[in-house]
Amino acid sequence: MQLPASFAHISLEQDWQHSTAYPPLGFIPFHEGALGNGDTFGLYWPIGREACEPIVVETWHDEWRIQPHFSSLAAFLQAYTAAEDEYVTTPSLADDPASPRAAFLAAKELIAQRNPEAAIALLEAALAIVPEYTDALVLLHGQYVRAGRIDDAVKLAIQAIISPPSFGGPPFKALQWLRTQAVPEGELDPIWRACGQLSFNFGGSKDNVDYPVLLAAIDTYLEQGKHLSASTLMQTYAELMSAETVSFQERYEFDQTAFIARQIAVSAKLPNGSRDPAMLWLPDLA
């Protein structure tokens, strides 16, 4: 993962280790802008964009959410300086034209104003930066369906289903829509093939058939060499399972430490390298 040019201007937690499913792998917190309520800003490398400079996200820990506010550390630092010890809010598109969160919020307004073309452009730009931005995926999927772009809508529905709940969702409408689409003969995507078995209703039950389906899909993606999809779905699986009770996790043989270790190992096979934060400090900051 590539550190931003201006990282010396923030107090990164250099001893940060990914020991829990949330915040997601690829996130490293820093102290600037923190309110002291447990929410923090941090660097985040979107999955598959490890060779790019990170964006800046904010954790909303009470909701287990991540908000991709700033397109770069430089954009965050500009807003942080202007805030003068006040809360650093989501930038406007005028202040940070590439902000994924600002694009998402603006797209919602454009849809309400019956301007779907402009909304689609903004959502596509946001997803080019954060492909696992579940909120944007779900919103864009709906616009593709309305525009009759069925092939694109299928791809977006699958991506929304495998993307982490920390970035939005749940993708109920995308899943329900995908289940109405005929699976082509010879289709290789495991989520499309098995979407009829998924409900995406989690918690509050002793058993849930979604987990074996998702776990099998991860294995299939790995067998197909689709490490990007596998890494995305692994983060989703870890977050969902971590929200279950300990007894539930034991029944499904979920060991969080072992699963995270596997996540890191799989991420090392991504085209742009490992998502392990520990790799940042070797050797550049030694």
Side-chain angles (χ1 to χ4, degrees):
M1 296 189 294
Q2 179 180 337
L3 279 168
S6 51
F7 79 93
H9 297 285
I10 55 174
S11 306
L12 271 178
E13 291 194 23
Q14 294 192 20
D15 59 349
W16 176 258
Q17 294 183 350
H18 186 69
S19 58
T20 57
Y22 175 88
L25 186 64
F27 169 85
I28 301 179
F30 54 75
H31 299 293
E32 286 72 19
L35 294 177
N37 63 349
D39 293 339
T40 64
F41 286 95
L43 303 180
Y44 179 75
W45 286 261
I47 302 170
R49 294 176 55 86
E50 293 77 17
C52 303
E53 289 200 359
I55 64 172
V56 172
V57 302
E58 183 185 15
T59 63
W60 289 3
H61 74 285
D62 286 342
E63 303 176 33
W64 273 36
R65 295 292 296 271
I66 293 286
Q67 296 296 353
H69 290 307
F70 296 92
S71 64
S72 66
L73 178 57
F76 167 81
L77 289 172
Q78 183 177 15
Y80 176 65
T81 301
E84 297 181 344
D85 295 327
E86 297 294 328
Y87 175 61
V88 182
T89 60
T90 302
S92 66
L93 285 175
D95 292 329
D96 185 358
S99 162
R101 173 74 172 162
F104 170 73
L105 295 175
K108 290 182 70 175
E109 292 183 4
L110 287 166
I111 291 169
Q113 296 166 7
R114 301 181 184 275
N115 190 351
E117 294 82 4
I120 287 172
L122 284 176
L123 291 168
E124 288 176 340
L127 289 167
I129 296 172
V130 191
E132 65 270 35
Y133 191 1
T134 315
D135 275 341
L137 287 163
V138 170
L139 191 60
L140 181 57
H141 170 263
Q143 299 311 302
Y144 279 170
V145 171
R146 291 182 181 90
R149 297 172 58 175
I150 302 305
D151 290 344
D152 290 334
V154 167
K155 294 176 183 177
L156 261 289
I158 293 169
Q159 184 67 19
I161 290 166
I162 70 171
S163 291
S166 59
F167 278 96
F172 289 128
K173 290 185 178 179
L175 173 60
Q176 291 170 354
W177 178 87
L178 188 64
R179 293 174 67 169
T180 68
Q181 304 303 301
V183 180
E185 185 176 351
E187 174 59 41
L188 297 178
D189 187 88
I191 292 296
W192 196 1
R193 292 204 316 259
C195 66
Q197 303 173 49
L198 294 171
S199 68
F200 260 69
N201 290 310
F202 297 98
S205 62
K206 185 177 180 179
D207 296 295
N208 191 321
V209 297
D210 282 33
Y211 286 111
V213 173
L214 296 177
L215 204 56
I218 291 169
D219 291 339
T220 299
Y221 282 138
L222 291 174
E223 291 167 3
Q224 294 173 346
K226 296 181 178 179
H227 298 104
L228 188 62
S229 295
S231 292
T232 304
L233 185 50
M234 289 184 81
Q235 179 60 43
T236 298
Y237 185 91
E239 290 182 19
L240 292 170
M241 186 60 83
S242 295
E244 301 284 359
T245 64
V246 172
S247 59
F248 185 99
Q249 294 172 14
E250 290 174 347
R251 281 196 299 276
Y252 283 81
E253 299 181 343
F254 177 72
D255 181 324
Q256 181 169 243
T257 301
F259 194 87
I260 289 173
R262 188 183 180 212
Q263 271 189 273
I264 292 173
V266 168
S267 78
K269 298 179 182 180
L270 290 169
N272 295 311
S274 175
R275 295 175 61 74
D276 184 1
M279 299 300 293
L280 279 173
W281 321 120
L282 300 172
D284 294 340
L285 300 183

